[in-house]
Amino acid sequence: MKIIVIGHGNFATGIHSSLKLIAGEQEKVDAIDFVEGMSANELKEKILAAITSDEEVLVLCDLLGGTPFKVASTIMGNRPDLQMNVLSGLNLAMLLETVFARMTLSFDEVAKKAVAAAHSGVVNGRELFSDDSEVIEEDFESGI
């Protein structure tokens, strides 16, 4: 399964760098930055260049409705020959879960797990560490 990470500015290469720091170099993961001055057509060409016709493609975008999401979704709609999906709301929890889940789960299961990881990766620290919380401090001492 191919994973393409796309975002505004240097978001994609930045989160890809974080992935490599935590999980090491990953095969079939590409990062495409949508930078100032780049047209939607240029972005489309970069996405198409990252896709090979015989593999499943999961595109992870930063924002719902942003140019990266719109362009990737248009490609998905115009290429029914591809097993492709486009997800928005990318965060590091989502990317890590996607990379590891693709080893054992089906394409659709990976997409579902990615969305769930994105949701569960967002927490309110004040609520998490409130007096009535059952969070164990040792869980957070060493980090990842």
Side-chain angles (χ1 to χ4, degrees):
M1 176 186 309
K2 174 75 161 229
I3 299 169
I4 302 174
V5 179
I6 309 171
H8 292 81
N10 298 112
F11 181 80
T13 52
I15 201 165
H16 188 240
S17 172
S18 297
L19 170 68
K20 289 191 281 189
L21 177 67
I22 295 169
E25 189 68 42
Q26 298 295 312
E27 292 184 14
K28 295 187 176 190
V29 177
D30 289 345
I32 302 172
D33 290 326
F34 180 58
V35 294
E36 186 174 348
M38 180 185 283
S39 70
N41 197 49
E42 288 173 298
L43 179 61
K44 177 183 175 183
E45 293 304 317
K46 287 182 179 265
I47 296 169
L48 289 172
I51 296 173
T52 60
S53 62
D54 63 338
E55 63 187 340
E56 299 165 320
V57 179
L58 188 58
V59 180
L60 307 177
C61 298
D62 57 353
L63 288 173
L64 176 65
T67 300
F69 181 84
K70 289 178 184 176
V71 171
S73 295
T74 300
I75 292 170
M76 179 177 62
N78 291 335
R79 294 284 310 269
D81 59 306
L82 286 176
Q83 176 74 7
M84 182 175 177
N85 199 349
V86 181
L87 307 179
S88 68
L90 176 60
N91 62 28
L92 190 52
M94 177 190 219
L95 181 56
L96 285 164
E97 187 65 45
T98 302
V99 166
F100 294 124
R102 71 181 170 160
M103 296 176 195
T104 58
L105 300 177
S106 73
F107 184 73
D108 291 334
E109 289 170 328
V110 170
K112 287 178 186 174
K113 197 144 180 97
V115 171
H119 285 268
S120 67
V122 177
V123 299
N124 180 326
R126 186 172 281 175
E127 291 175 8
L128 182 66
F129 296 109
S130 69
D131 289 338
D132 59 345
S133 174
E134 294 182 19
V135 174
I136 301 171
E137 285 187 35
E138 294 91 41
D139 290 344
F140 294 95
E141 285 181 2
S142 63
I144 292 178

